[in-house]
Amino acid sequence: MIESSTPTMLEITETSRCTVCCCTLANKILMVLFMVLLIFAILFGNLVTLAVVLGTKHFHTPQGYLKASLAVADLAVGVFVVPLSIYAEVYLMVTDSAPEWTLYNSQSVSFHPCSIIGPIFAGCTLVSITTIFLLTIERTIAVLRPLHKDSLITRRRTTILIVLSWVGSFFLAILPMLFSSEIALEYNSCSRMCNYALGTIGKFPSQAWNILLLFPAFDFTLLCGTVVINIISLSSIRQHSKRRKHLAEAECQSTSKPTFSDIKAAKTIGTLTVAFTVSFTPIAVFVVGNVLGNKWCNFSFFAFWILAANSCWNVIIYSVRDQKFRTHAHQLLMPFQRNTTA
């Protein structure tokens, strides 16, 4: 999302353009192949998730709505963000020159593709974080207050929260351009995707830094809150499991305890939180490095594309952790398997 002091394609020479992903033709081909495979993985995984969640009555729950919202955010990365990078890199390989729009930032031309794609990537990343946070809250209530779950967590309230998370996330995504004329969007030669960057001023002013630092500050505040809530929830699950082992008869168990499905779902959301935290941490490290004056061009590529690759992890986590999801996904794919084997 944020890349501040790394050079644009206009500012680098052929020798300095040689990053770990693009030094040779073989590296460039592998990079484009990775991007193409990533698109297929994102589209396939998240379309399956949406088909299972929306097409199965069992998943028409607040948790199911949140998972659908998360899938839409991930799907947008595969539909809009990654294809633009593929176009720019294939164009560069075929013509041996970068597309003209990659040579300038959004302040230098009347229309720049990154003016749309950059906020989409930033907005969808923020939506993913807020949705995982909401999933964690929903599962924690189910574990700690199982008798109040249905009254506190309704589909109407969940829908309102989903809409607010999308509106708020995309407002934050366009905030840098609204409140600072010093911030632009560009196709960065290091990360190979659209990033926020310095406009026409040669040095980042403190106001621009303060605005851009809203992203990691907001992201890590929510992620830290999510991790803490997950720890509380999983600790409660562990205590409940220990108490259950000491019960000799089933009738002695209190009806106020969480169900097995609630416990399983809480562990799944915990896994989602860990996966997203792992994928987002390199971006945070990179931003801090930029503040300290480090460009870290090679690290920038890996950091941003690890975050983009996170968009295809969720369906894998659901398939491994959730047996009902796995069963419905298998049933959904059965007709296609029959057609391929016929």
Side-chain angles (χ1 to χ4, degrees):
M1 292 183 301
I2 307 167
E3 188 148 347
S4 55
S5 59
T6 47
T8 64
M9 284 199 173
L10 181 65
E11 296 169 326
I12 57 178
T13 63
E14 285 297 323
T15 54
S16 64
R17 189 180 296 178
C18 182
T19 57
V20 68
C21 66
C22 315
C23 282
T24 66
L25 179 61
N27 286 356
K28 293 177 182 178
I29 293 173
L30 287 175
M31 177 186 65
V32 172
L33 180 62
F34 161 74
M35 292 178 181
V36 171
L37 292 175
L38 182 59
I39 285 182
F40 281 109
I42 291 173
L43 295 183
F44 175 78
N46 289 289
L47 286 174
V48 168
T49 299
L50 286 174
V52 171
V53 171
L54 300 179
T56 308
K57 191 174 182 180
H58 171 78
F59 290 101
H60 292 176
T61 61
Q63 182 187 166
Y65 288 4
L66 289 168
K67 287 182 177 179
S69 175
L70 186 60
V72 171
D74 291 336
L75 200 60
V77 175
V79 172
F80 298 105
V81 179
V82 184
L84 183 68
S85 295
I86 291 177
Y87 169 77
E89 298 308 318
V90 171
Y91 188 100
L92 178 61
M93 280 198 301
V94 172
T95 65
D96 201 30
S97 62
E100 187 176 356
W101 55 269
T102 65
L103 306 177
Y104 307 97
N105 62 44
S106 59
Q107 291 184 353
S108 304
V109 292
S110 57
F111 173 76
H112 198 291
C114 288
S115 297
I116 298 174
I117 302 303
I120 287 178
F121 186 41
C124 288
T125 301
L126 295 170
V127 167
S128 296
I129 294 174
T130 54
T131 304
I132 291 174
F133 177 76
L134 292 174
L135 277 166
T136 302
I137 294 292
E138 186 266 342
R139 283 298 87 193
T140 301
I141 292 174
V143 169
L144 299 181
R145 296 288 184 269
L147 294 180
H148 303 89
K149 178 183 67 173
D150 293 334
S151 60
L152 291 175
I153 309 168
T154 64
R155 286 185 288 187
R156 182 174 178 274
R157 289 177 180 174
T158 303
T159 302
I160 292 173
L161 288 173
I162 289 172
V163 172
L164 290 176
S165 76
W166 278 84
V167 173
S169 296
F170 274 85
F171 175 74
L172 280 176
I174 64 173
L175 187 68
M177 285 79 67
L178 292 178
F179 290 93
S180 178
S181 59
E182 300 150 346
I183 299 172
L185 284 149
E186 66 176 18
Y187 185 80
N188 192 272
S189 61
C190 292
S191 66
R192 302 287 166 169
M193 62 171 56
C194 293
N195 300 137
Y196 296 95
L198 182 63
T200 55
I201 303 172
K203 183 179 179 181
F204 253 111
S206 59
Q207 182 186 3
W209 266 122
N210 291 335
I211 293 173
L212 286 180
L213 286 174
L214 281 175
F215 286 109
F218 176 82
D219 294 344
F220 258 95
T221 299
L222 274 186
L223 278 176
C224 289
T226 303
V227 169
V228 170
I229 294 170
N230 268 295
I231 291 173
I232 295 172
S233 178
L234 294 175
S235 297
S236 176
I237 291 172
R238 187 177 180 183
Q239 291 174 3
H240 170 62
S241 299
K242 286 181 178 180
R243 285 196 300 266
R244 190 168 57 181
K245 288 179 181 179
H246 294 297
L247 294 175
E249 299 177 359
E251 58 266 23
C252 294
Q253 296 187 36
S254 171
T255 57
S256 65
K257 300 303 179 184
T259 64
F260 177 77
S261 61
D262 287 334
I263 293 174
K264 193 78 173 177
K267 291 180 179 179
T268 301
I269 303 308
T271 306
L272 280 179
T273 303
V274 171
F276 196 91
T277 303
V278 168
S279 66
F280 184 79
T281 299
I283 293 290
V285 173
F286 172 75
V287 172
V288 172
N290 258 207
V291 173
L292 298 176
N294 299 302
K295 293 184 178 179
W296 291 347
C297 193
N298 288 330
F299 181 70
S300 167
F301 175 82
F302 289 108
F304 279 91
W305 284 99
I306 287 173
L307 180 61
N310 180 70
S311 296
C312 65
W313 290 6
N314 295 339
V315 68
I316 299 173
I317 294 172
Y318 300 151
S319 299
V320 173
R321 301 286 310 177
D322 191 335
Q323 184 178 358
K324 290 182 179 179
F325 179 89
R326 185 166 61 248
T327 300
H328 285 94
H330 180 70
Q331 292 173 352
L332 182 69
L333 297 174
M334 278 291 287
F336 297 100
Q337 293 175 349
R338 292 196 191 101
N339 291 334
T340 56
T341 55

